Amino acid sequence: MPVVPEPPSEVGATIPAHTPHGVSVMFPKWEHNVLYEEGHPSVISKMETGYPRFFVNLFIQERLLAKHGKPTEAAFLYPSRKIADRCREFMKQYYAPAQEENLIRIAEVVVAPIDEKMGMRTVPVFMVLFPQDAFPVAKQFWQHTGDIFSSRCAEYCLHILDKNEQHKASHAQEKPRRASRYAKPTGPKSPTQEEESDHAVYVEERYGRNLPLQFADQAKVVLRRRIAGLLSGKQTTIEDVNKATHDELEEQRKVHGERGMLGLSEDDVYLFPSGMGAIYHAHRVARALLPDERKSVCFGFPYTDTLKILQKWGSGCYFYGLGEDKDLDDFEAKLAGGERVLSLFCELPSNPLLKSPDLARIRRLADQYDFLVVVDETIGNFVNVDTLTHADIVVSSLTKIFSGDCNVMGGSMVLNPTRKYYRAIQEFLQADFEDIVWCEDALFVERNSRNFKERAITINENAEALCDYLHAHPKVDRVFYPKFICRQHYDAVKKSDGGYGGLLSIVLKDEKAAQQFYDHLHCAKGPSLGTNFTLASPYTILAHYTELDWAEQYGVSRHLVRVSVGLEDRDHLLSLFESALNAVDEE
């Protein structure tokens, strides 16, 4: 089991500490979250990193923009021409001044080593260039779609550019532009710099994670089999896959596997650079297969970008923010009255209220009225719940508990081979799907996920014990957790040996109490979830700061604190929360 790292204490520090590609950032006080949302320099200037769909690393963009752009332009980088084209189309729709084609342009840049002896691969980069005032619109596309340019790929490109400059200067001694695992600064270091650099390398490469990039294709095969639930106890690594015979693989396809579905194979699993990427492309699938004038349905209060995708691409959506049985009654009445919909998107359970919809009923309605069902299983995860039986497509963020280490992004889409539109979805994806997962990211997700099931079980047990404690505590007004919220619908899809997951939300009596509790909670505090360590955030502040009243009408309190439980010793974990609750009303 992974060692749980000590959380950083400084605002803006990377979570985990000293991790070059950490996907969370430390906001130790409640006010830091507010200042971040308001763009205050006291927080923004200290941020070493952030969640990659929101915090854009500008090193490589500034480097290429200086060479290929104009002084009045900004840019986003993408790993394929198709994505760049979709970004430009989105911007032409939502950026009002964009009346002329040449205001938003695409430049293809090939980042290639000029010396073959470097032993590095060529990386195509597609720059979407646009007027600087269009940056907020461009960022919406980056954030919502999740088709992002990997930070590790950016680091790799920077290393190539640095090496090329050094080569052109005849190997003259000069300091590289930035430190990385690929290119370390020349010249003397202070003891602190040396110590932090060594620690960063240790965190990134422990347990042999510095595998050569040529293993990436095999890593993706392993990932797809693991996500399909097909790996046997013996076949769990890249090395084992290389040794597997054709007959052994065929035997795997004849069993039900972890997901309990006969006929499911790795060919039904598609990988994306983020979980939101999987959701965005599931919506593209639905729009391609069914009449696009139909609206989608967002059932239950979802993670914010899911709703934005359904609203901004296509004909809009019906939003059932409470996600309760009475909403299904209304939806069924709408269908019975002749309304036709494209698809229904839901989470099981939802984020941050941990509600579960009646999936069996939704499936019956989908079969009767001909629409697709897309379920986000990120929070429940297939160790605990079987959502695929009721869905056409299941999506998940591999960034979360599947990886656990909080140092790599990834997403997956799984097709149900027993559903009506299965062949049509396959045919569409065969023509449309692009494998844009950066090779090194695939290696990290594969390595991180080898003990996914064991970690998930421990986190289940820790979270349930913590929730039982919080549920009985007099200073806690409400605990949102599948054991206490919509339990009958969660239990209907819960596996016999599954648990209730690792995510919970709590509401205290008022915002002052929530702030006191949060400020005194000694754990990692920042965005994301599903980490091997406990991670807390004032979720509504971070996700809905500009629409707090809107969120509140769906039961999402502005002073809600969301907690993702980790692998800490259970008694230690409970003591952390006891101390934080003891601090409430003492100031």
Side-chain angles (χ1 to χ4, degrees):
M1 210 51 78
V3 176
V4 179
E6 270 295 307
S9 58
E10 297 298 318
V11 60
T14 300
I15 301 176
H18 312 299
T19 302
H21 299 281
V23 302
S24 191
V25 58
M26 186 69 174
F27 295 146
K29 302 292 184 182
W30 187 281
E31 67 173 348
H32 295 143
N33 295 273
V34 175
L35 292 171
Y36 164 75
E37 287 297 325
E38 294 179 348
H40 199 280
S42 63
V43 171
I44 301 297
S45 65
K46 295 177 181 178
M47 290 176 63
E48 298 174 2
T49 187
Y51 197 72
R53 285 192 306 101
F54 295 87
F55 181 86
V56 183
N57 190 315
L58 297 177
F59 283 117
I60 185 67
Q61 292 185 200
E62 291 175 349
R63 186 97 166 250
L64 295 180
L65 184 61
K67 184 174 182 180
H68 301 281
K70 302 173 184 177
T72 58
E73 289 181 319
F76 271 85
L77 309 184
Y78 291 102
S80 84
R81 176 74 194 211
K82 285 184 179 180
I83 300 171
D85 285 338
R86 288 195 286 264
C87 177
R88 179 165 60 182
E89 289 305 308
F90 178 85
M91 293 186 68
K92 287 168 66 177
Q93 181 179 357
Y94 290 103
Y95 174 54
Q99 303 299 324
E100 299 179 16
E101 182 74 17
N102 60 3
L103 283 180
I104 303 171
R105 59 195 183 91
I106 297 172
E108 180 177 356
V109 179
V110 178
V111 181
I114 58 177
D115 184 355
E116 293 182 359
K117 294 179 182 178
M118 294 180 189
M120 303 185 75
R121 62 179 62 189
T122 296
V123 182
V125 179
F126 296 86
M127 300 180 66
V128 179
L129 298 133
F130 45 83
Q132 291 178 356
D133 67 338
F135 184 87
V137 176
K139 190 182 179 191
Q140 287 179 37
F141 181 86
W142 171 279
Q143 174 183 323
H144 297 332
T145 68
D147 277 340
I148 59 177
F149 194 83
S150 162
S151 63
R152 285 188 174 85
C153 183
E155 183 181 58
Y156 192 85
C157 290
L158 282 170
H159 181 48
I160 293 174
L161 295 175
D162 284 340
K163 284 290 188 182
N164 286 348
E165 288 185 5
Q166 292 172 12
H167 187 275
K168 289 176 181 178
S170 300
H171 306 285
Q173 294 298 315
E174 61 183 39
K175 188 175 181 179
R177 292 178 181 267
R178 70 189 285 266
S180 73
R181 289 188 295 130
Y182 300 108
K184 292 181 168 57
T186 57
K189 292 182 180 180
S190 70
T192 302
Q193 288 175 319
E194 188 74 55
E195 180 182 346
E196 290 187 356
S197 175
D198 288 347
H199 184 78
V201 172
Y202 165 73
V203 170
E204 284 284 271
E205 298 184 355
R206 67 189 184 280
Y207 308 128
R209 285 188 171 89
N210 53 343
L211 279 172
L213 299 187
Q214 61 263 32
F215 285 107
D217 289 342
Q218 294 101 310
K220 291 178 182 180
V221 172
V222 174
L223 279 173
R224 288 162 55 215
R225 290 178 185 163
R226 188 170 293 147
I227 293 164
L230 295 175
L231 287 180
S232 67
K234 295 181 179 179
Q235 250 178 262
T236 58
T237 69
I238 294 173
E239 295 81 1
D240 290 328
V241 167
N242 289 336
K243 296 174 185 176
T245 67
H246 174 77
D247 290 342
E248 288 172 336
L249 297 180
E250 286 302 311
E251 282 300 313
Q252 286 184 17
R253 290 179 173 85
K254 295 177 184 178
V255 299
H256 292 274
E258 289 276 354
R259 289 189 181 269
M261 181 165 291
L262 186 64
L264 185 69
S265 80
E266 69 266 24
D267 293 336
D268 300 316
V269 179
Y270 297 82
L271 302 178
F272 297 88
S274 69
M276 198 50 60
I279 293 170
Y280 168 69
H281 285 281
H283 183 48
R284 292 187 65 245
V285 165
R287 292 181 61 203
L289 267 58
L290 294 171
D292 199 23
E293 67 271 11
R294 298 185 185 184
K295 290 186 176 181
S296 302
V297 174
C298 184
F299 194 82
F301 195 91
Y303 180 69
T304 178
D305 289 298
T306 299
L307 180 58
K308 302 299 184 187
I309 287 171
L310 301 181
Q311 290 173 334
K312 293 181 180 181
W313 280 270
S315 300
C317 77
Y318 296 108
F319 178 44
Y320 292 97
L322 294 175
E324 297 174 351
D325 288 346
K326 62 182 180 180
D327 295 312
L328 268 184
D329 294 340
D330 180 83
F331 177 49
E332 184 169 6
K334 197 182 297 293
L335 293 170
E339 184 70 15
R340 292 294 175 264
V341 300
L342 188 71
S343 57
L344 183 146
F345 281 70
C346 64
E347 302 171 349
L348 196 145
S350 66
N351 178 15
L353 296 182
L354 287 306
K355 291 183 175 181
S356 298
D358 185 346
L359 277 189
R361 184 179 175 190
I362 289 172
R363 182 70 256 165
R364 290 194 297 270
L365 292 175
D367 291 340
Q368 183 177 354
Y369 293 104
D370 195 34
F371 60 86
L372 296 177
V373 177
V374 181
V375 181
D376 185 343
E377 70 170 11
T378 300
I379 296 171
N381 78 69
F382 69 86
V383 169
N384 296 318
V385 293
D386 171 22
T387 60
L388 188 59
T389 297
H390 302 288
D392 295 273
I393 299 173
V394 165
V395 294
S396 184
S397 172
L398 306 181
T399 311
K400 309 305 192 299
I401 191 171
F402 187 79
S403 168
D405 272 351
C406 197
N407 64 357
V408 64
M409 298 284 284
S412 66
M413 174 195 294
V414 184
L415 310 184
N416 183 334
T418 71
R419 292 293 160 206
K420 171 183 175 181
Y421 284 102
Y422 171 67
R423 293 298 178 194
I425 296 173
Q426 268 197 330
E427 290 174 6
F428 172 78
L429 290 173
Q430 284 171 2
D432 183 80
F433 176 74
E434 294 181 287
D435 180 2
I436 57 170
V437 175
W438 177 243
C439 51
E440 196 178 8
D441 289 333
L443 290 169
F444 271 79
V445 176
E446 191 282 316
R447 285 284 183 154
N448 292 354
S449 62
R450 290 185 180 184
N451 59 359
F452 159 56
K453 184 173 183 178
E454 291 79 4
R455 287 185 290 106
I457 292 171
T458 299
I459 287 173
N460 286 343
E461 295 168 350
N462 279 354
E464 186 167 1
L466 177 60
C467 281
D468 288 343
Y469 168 77
L470 294 172
H471 194 255
H473 200 286
K475 291 183 180 180
V476 177
D477 271 12
R478 193 165 188 193
V479 178
F480 294 91
Y481 187 60
K483 184 176 179 179
F484 308 125
I485 303 291
C486 303
R487 179 167 177 173
Q488 72 277 20
H489 296 325
Y490 186 94
D491 283 351
V493 295
K494 179 175 169 288
K495 294 182 176 180
S496 59
D497 57 349
Y500 291 100
L503 193 71
L504 63 106
S505 296
I506 64 172
V507 175
L508 280 70
K509 64 180 180 180
D510 54 33
E511 191 162 1
K512 180 184 176 183
Q515 290 181 20
Q516 291 174 337
F517 166 76
Y518 180 87
D519 289 353
H520 287 87
L521 184 60
H522 183 64
C523 68
K525 290 181 274 190
S528 200
L529 58 89
T531 47
N532 292 335
F533 46 87
T534 296
L535 181 64
S537 74
Y539 176 82
T540 321
I541 297 295
L542 280 180
H544 300 286
Y545 187 69
T546 61
E547 49 189 17
L548 294 172
D549 291 339
W550 172 82
E552 203 137 34
Q553 68 180 304
Y554 296 107
V556 184
S557 168
R558 65 187 62 213
H559 55 269
L560 176 146
V561 177
R562 190 187 71 181
V563 179
S564 176
V565 177
L567 297 169
E568 292 89 353
D569 173 79
R570 197 164 307 153
D571 290 338
H572 173 66
L573 181 68
L574 293 173
S575 71
L576 294 180
F577 282 78
E578 181 181 20
S579 296
L581 287 167
N582 286 342
V584 174
D585 289 335
E586 290 183 0
E587 294 183 349

